[in-house]
């Protein structure tokens, strides 16, 4: 009789966690040597760059990067101090604020992305080959199945 911890669902989740940790460690190390900034900073900059008007409400940015609002506030404080983002008040909500990518943040991304893409090729695209697009679709399905918290 199989033990409950031998369930293939546990194996699948464990493999997801192990793959995430392995890839994340390599990408973090390479990215910091390329850009001089830690991966969480870079993730914030990328999220903003890919958003309309290169800005997001702080609550939405927190959700996208998987941080609490207070955790994101501390992170954005440091990134803002470095000059890569700025906060702007929300005109229709006095309590709300936007994080906005600055020209210095755009410059950092432009300079860092070629090396970052090489790392992504080495750690994701090449090992997966044609399955990379399928993985993107599967991960999107997993993300969307979890629901989304409101702002």
């Amino acid at each position: 009789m199989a033990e409950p911890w031998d369930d293939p669902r546990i194996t699948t989740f464990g493999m997801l966690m192990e793959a995430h940790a392995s890839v994340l460690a390599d990408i973090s190390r390479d990215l910091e040597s390329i850009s001089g900034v830690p991966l969480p900073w870079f993730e914030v900059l990328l999220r903003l760059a890919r958003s309309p008007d290169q800005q997001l409400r702080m609550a939405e940015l927190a959700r996208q990067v998987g941080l609490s609002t207070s955790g994101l506030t501390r992170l954005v404080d440091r990134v803002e101090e470095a000059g890569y983002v700025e906060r702007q008040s929300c005109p229709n909500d006095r309590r709300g604020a936007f994080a906005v990518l600055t020209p210095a943040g755009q410059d950092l991304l432009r300079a860092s992305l070629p090396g970052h893409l090489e790392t992504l090729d080495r750690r994701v695209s090449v090992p997966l080959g044609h399955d990379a697009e399928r993985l993107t679709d599967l991960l999107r399905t997993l993300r969307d199945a979890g629901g989304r918290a409101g702002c």
Side-chain angles (χ1 to χ4, degrees):
M1 178 177 220
E3 295 291 352
W5 49 82
D6 291 330
D7 189 297
R9 293 170 291 187
I10 293 172
T11 301
T12 299
F13 182 72
M15 292 304 301
L16 176 63
M17 298 304 292
E18 289 177 38
H20 175 265
S22 173
V23 170
L24 192 64
D26 283 352
I27 289 172
S28 294
R29 182 189 62 247
D30 287 359
L31 183 60
E32 193 148 358
S33 73
I34 291 164
S35 68
V37 298
L39 181 59
W41 287 35
F42 199 76
E43 180 69 14
V44 163
L45 299 178
L46 275 175
R47 297 285 176 160
L48 293 173
R50 295 171 57 111
S51 297
D53 299 321
Q54 297 188 323
Q55 66 181 15
L56 283 170
R57 287 189 62 127
M58 293 285 286
E60 175 61 15
L61 183 57
R63 187 197 61 74
Q64 287 188 19
V65 298
L67 292 174
S68 66
T69 53
S70 63
L72 179 76
T73 296
R74 289 189 298 274
L75 175 60
V76 168
D77 285 345
R78 294 188 301 274
V79 179
E80 184 176 33
E81 187 176 303
Y84 300 128
V85 300
E86 65 183 18
R87 284 186 181 88
Q88 292 180 358
S89 59
C90 181
N92 56 357
D93 180 359
R94 292 184 338 178
R95 296 174 301 154
F98 290 98
V100 182
L101 189 65
T102 64
Q106 292 173 4
D107 292 344
L108 177 69
L109 285 174
R110 283 189 188 97
S112 304
L113 279 171
H116 181 55
L117 291 171
E118 286 177 20
T119 300
L120 292 177
D121 280 343
R122 180 176 49 82
R123 287 299 281 131
V124 180
S125 299
V126 170
L128 291 176
H130 296 296
D131 288 332
E133 197 172 312
R134 183 166 181 251
L135 178 61
T136 300
D137 292 340
L138 292 169
L139 292 171
R140 186 172 285 114
T141 298
L142 278 177
R143 179 201 64 194
D144 294 348
R148 293 191 160 180
C151 292

